[in-house]
């Protein structure tokens, strides 16, 4: 096992880009490699050693044997864990844009909040955010039609707008509340929101499941009431209690399922 620890000594007003610093690329690196590495910052590159002291302990024969630990104020460090396929990364701070973007494996733990596009276009792996996340988590990127296709995202806090936009697989769980348009254009997968939802989940969804355990303030008209089910199994997971099932979005001839906790949404019954 190899542990690579990044201890921040200086912040930058322009974001550092960490997309090359993933277990897949650095599992053979020694301290001298990090000392000579030039990290992208805007349109230029600067020595990583200007911003981080890096400690290397142990050895690794593959990326799976690497644990990266990043300490400091990471609010201006983006692409942490982007495109990683194996190993572990622990970011001990809130992080900038695109953390876990296009992950295909491994695990990324963020001990703080995450900016927009966290976990966008993930195909596998596990992303855990201990705080809140901003808009477009697990979504597609600008100009694309396909968002997250696999993997698991867990958000312990609240989620911003358009969570899981264009979701085509995988699982997203929000333990807090969620803003508007969760699961818009969704075609497959599971979104579970344990808190309250502002409005309009599942807009133009065609398939998949959205489960809301809190209160939904306002739904779209394109969902037809189906039935109330006790202790349903949804996307292979068991849920306790009564759930109101809706089908939609009929504006797209959708067959997606919107499940609302009946106790928290009794005004709909």
């Amino acid at each position: 096992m190899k542990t690579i620890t990044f201890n921040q000594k200086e912040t930058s007003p322009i974001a550092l880009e960490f997309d090359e610093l993933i277990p897949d690329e650095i599992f053979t690196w020694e301290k001298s490699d990090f000392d000579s590495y030039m990290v992208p910052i805007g349109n230029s590159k600067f020595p990583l050693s200007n911003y981080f002291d890096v400690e290397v302990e142990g050895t690794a024969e593959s990326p799976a044997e690497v644990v990266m630990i990043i300490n400091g104020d990471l609010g201006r460090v983006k692409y942490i864990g982007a495109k990683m396929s194996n190993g572990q990364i622990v970011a001990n701070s809130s992080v900038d844009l695109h953390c876990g973007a296009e992950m295909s494996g491994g695990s990324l733990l963020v001990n703080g909040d995450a900016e927009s596009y966290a976990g966008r276009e993930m195909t596998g792996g596990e992303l855990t955010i201990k705080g809140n996340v901003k808009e477009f988590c697990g979504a597609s990127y600008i100009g694309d039609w396909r968002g997250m296709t696999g993997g698991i995202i867990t958000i312990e806090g609240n989620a911003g707008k358009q969570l899981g936009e264009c979701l085509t697989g995988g699982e997203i769980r929000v333990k807090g509340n969620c803003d508007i348009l969760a699961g818009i254009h969704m075609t497959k997968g599971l979104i579970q929101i344990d808190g309250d939802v502002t409005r309009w989940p599942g807009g133009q969804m065609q398939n998949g499941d959205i489960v809301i355990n809190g209160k939904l303030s306002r739904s779209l008209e394109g969902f037809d009431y189906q039935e109330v089910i006790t202790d349903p199994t949804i996307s292979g997971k068991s849920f306790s209690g009564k759930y109101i099932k809706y089908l939609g979005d009929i504006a797209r001839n959708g067959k997606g399922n919107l499940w609302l906790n009946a106790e928290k949404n009794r005004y709909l019954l």
Side-chain angles (χ1 to χ4, degrees), residues 57-84:
E57 299 180 56
T59 60
E61 295 184 0
S62 72
E65 298 175 356
V66 172
V67 178
M68 282 178 55
I69 301 171
I70 314 173
N71 298 318
D73 177 2
L74 308 177
R76 293 270 66 197
V77 181
K78 60 184 181 180
Y79 295 110
I80 293 175
K83 296 186 178 180
M84 68 181 292

Side-chain angles (χ1 to χ4, degrees), residues 69-249:
I69 301 171
I70 314 173
N71 298 318
D73 177 2
L74 308 177
R76 293 270 66 197
V77 181
K78 60 184 181 180
Y79 295 110
I80 293 175
K83 296 186 178 180
M84 68 181 292
S85 69
N86 222 321
Q88 302 175 50
I89 299 178
V90 178
N92 286 316
S93 163
S94 296
V95 300
D96 208 343
L97 297 161
H98 304 291
C99 75
E102 300 180 81
M103 277 180 68
S104 60
S107 67
L108 169 58
L109 171 61
V110 176
N111 284 312
D113 300 333
E115 266 286 353
S116 304
Y117 290 108
R120 66 166 174 85
E121 301 174 299
M122 276 178 63
T123 62
E126 186 168 353
L127 168 61
T128 302
I129 298 166
K130 289 291 186 178
N132 304 318
V133 67
K134 290 196 175 178
E135 55 271 303
F136 302 114
C137 176
S140 66
Y141 196 45
I142 299 168
D144 206 345
W145 59 270
R146 183 169 53 196
M148 178 180 176
T149 60
I152 298 173
I153 297 176
T154 303
I155 302 157
E156 307 249 339
N158 303 321
K161 300 173 184 177
Q162 294 185 227
L163 172 81
E165 177 256 359
C166 291
L167 189 77
T168 59
E171 178 182 334
I172 302 175
R173 182 179 180 184
V174 180
K175 295 186 178 181
N177 302 323
C178 189
D179 208 336
I180 64 173
L181 294 170
I184 185 171
H185 303 302
M186 177 177 175
T187 59
K188 196 176 180 183
L190 170 66
I191 296 176
Q192 177 183 337
I193 302 163
D194 293 340
D196 299 334
V197 175
T198 305
R199 55 189 183 274
W200 307 327
Q204 299 189 344
M205 76 181 293
Q206 293 182 291
N207 216 317
D209 291 287
I210 299 176
V211 180
I212 299 173
N213 288 316
K215 183 178 179 180
L216 174 61
S217 297
R218 185 175 178 184
S219 63
L220 290 164
E221 295 182 357
F223 284 83
D224 286 336
Y225 169 82
Q226 299 295 300
E227 58 185 324
V228 176
I229 301 177
T230 301
D231 299 337
T233 297
I234 304 169
S235 289
K237 297 183 66 175
S238 298
F239 290 82
S240 298
K242 292 183 178 181
Y243 284 82
I244 312 167
K245 181 182 179 181
Y246 292 85
L247 191 70
D249 185 342

